[in-house]
Amino acid sequence: MLKIAYIPLDNRPCNYDFILKAAKIKGIDIITPTEEKLGKFTTHGDVEYIRKWLMNLRNVDYLILSIDMLAYGGLIASREMELNVDPYGFAESIREFKKNNSNCKVYAFNIIMRTSISVKDEKTYEYWKLINEYSFLAYNEHENFSRIKELEKIIPKSILDGYLKARRRNNEVNNISIDLVNEGAIDFLVLGQEDCDKIGIHLLEQERLLTKIRELGLEEKIMMMPGADEFGQILFVRVLNDISRMKIGRLVYDNDRLKYVIAQYENIPIYETLDLHIKAAGFDINEVNDQIILYVITPKIFDDIIWIDDDHYKYLEGVKAKDVYINDEELDAYIKDHKIIIFDLCHANGGWKELIYFLSENDLLHEIYGYTAWNTASNSIGTALLFYALLYEENKDSKLFLEFLIERFYDDFLYQSIVRPKINKILQKEGENIHLFREFKYNYNMILCELMKKHDEIIKKSILNKPIKILENLQIKDYHIECSFPWNRTFEIKVDVKVQI
């Protein structure tokens, strides 16, 4: 039986649960370090333990590896300069693993640092905005010299220096990761650009990294693209493509003009981001499966994009949220005539409410095969491609697949778009910090569950006692949902659904 090992970016559901659930849906065994060793938010992962765990593995067929966990102890740790571990020690542990598992394919991902610091309270949120501006201006340092000097006086020296030192260190780790591919210790590497802008300090790093990749002739083994939290999923799909090559579904954009926009927190147009993720996942974009539609909902207003070219600028000029509409006849036809997975990229950090309202009112929600709308466009693209890979062949647990889909309705739409603003108000009224709340002051998980159940009627009425396509038109009698905060912040939740058929 195939043996897959996985070292995630951290223990949040998108990095940990999604992969374990996907493996279970496909009937594949996957091993990971013990969850508590992966850390939790401000507590970094146990790097020494994880490196030893890795080096002790034998007879592994595939390793999916977050270099940031192995180097620093996770994504949050990667943004901090002061660490209790040698970040460069990760390389030797990978070499040792490859020596002990010479036939194993190592698929790794390493993050190019975001263009600011982590937010832990309102003060660091202000510094987050200022450092984002600093990073943006740094790409043209000569032209922006005076404002850069102003920012250097406004931002506390210790914070700005720590950020810049962490950037330099992380860039060294990016370079070492490329060297490991050149040595053969890593078989395929994704360099993921976390939250950024169209231009900025990150582009200077990207340009140097890409030059190195070209000089070493590694263009087929290393890819660079926007994203971070989805790459465990993308590389899991790549493994599935190794096992059994899949054609990609037919891509349909709800608006062909708007596939050229750059979504929030990214630096290349949506269509390029999607193409790169498809290739990284091991698909051949020239081989198309017309039976499954990958339906992409694009951003619609200036608030949801950071750049649009001159040819399309006038198309969005003056458009407000109230003016935006769903291509209802087209979407209705695709849902009724095909298997469809919806990539909702309309907004960052949550689903487009009007889309779910439309699907519910027109009795269509129970007929779709995949839905994702969390965080950035890249993040949602990764999970949508995971849905596609799980759906592609018959060897899957359809009940578990449906539970994973319902979890996305509750998390990406219900929590992020409806409940999160409400729970933020509750916490702020109590004087809590929504970016790092005190875990034991109140039972915030109980408040979360109550709010989720209070507002979930739109989902329940749309799927209970309906002929579910995924289940070959069987009906769900009931389902049970559990919600919690995986970290003591309101940015994301953990959702588990159990369906009764």
Side-chain angles (χ1 to χ4, degrees), residues 168 184 291 330 410 450 452 476-477:
R168 289 191 289 271
Q291 301 304 307
E330 176 186 77
Y410 272 83
E450 289 173 355
M452 294 288 278
I476 302 174
K477 294 178 183 177

Side-chain angles (χ1 to χ4, degrees), residues 411-474:
D411 189 347
D412 302 11
F413 161 66
L414 185 64
Y415 176 70
Q416 294 293 346
S417 298
I418 295 176
V419 172
R420 185 179 169 191
K422 297 178 186 300
I423 203 159
N424 280 347
K425 286 183 179 179
I426 291 171
L427 266 66
Q428 288 167 334
K429 190 176 179 180
E430 295 293 333
E432 275 293 349
N433 172 11
I434 62 172
H435 307 291
L436 183 62
F437 58 74
R438 289 168 287 182
E439 293 185 78
F440 305 110
K441 185 178 180 184
Y442 296 104
N443 189 344
Y444 292 121
N445 287 335
M446 185 177 72
I447 296 170
L448 169 66
C449 289
E450 289 173 355
L451 282 172
M452 294 288 278
K453 290 173 182 177
K454 182 178 178 180
H455 296 281
D456 73 350
E457 183 60 27
I458 189 172
I459 300 175
K460 279 199 164 181
K461 75 176 184 180
S462 300
I463 58 177
L464 284 179
N465 301 311
K466 302 279 188 181
I468 304 295
K469 275 190 174 182
I470 294 167
L471 299 177
E472 297 182 348
N473 293 324
L474 288 176

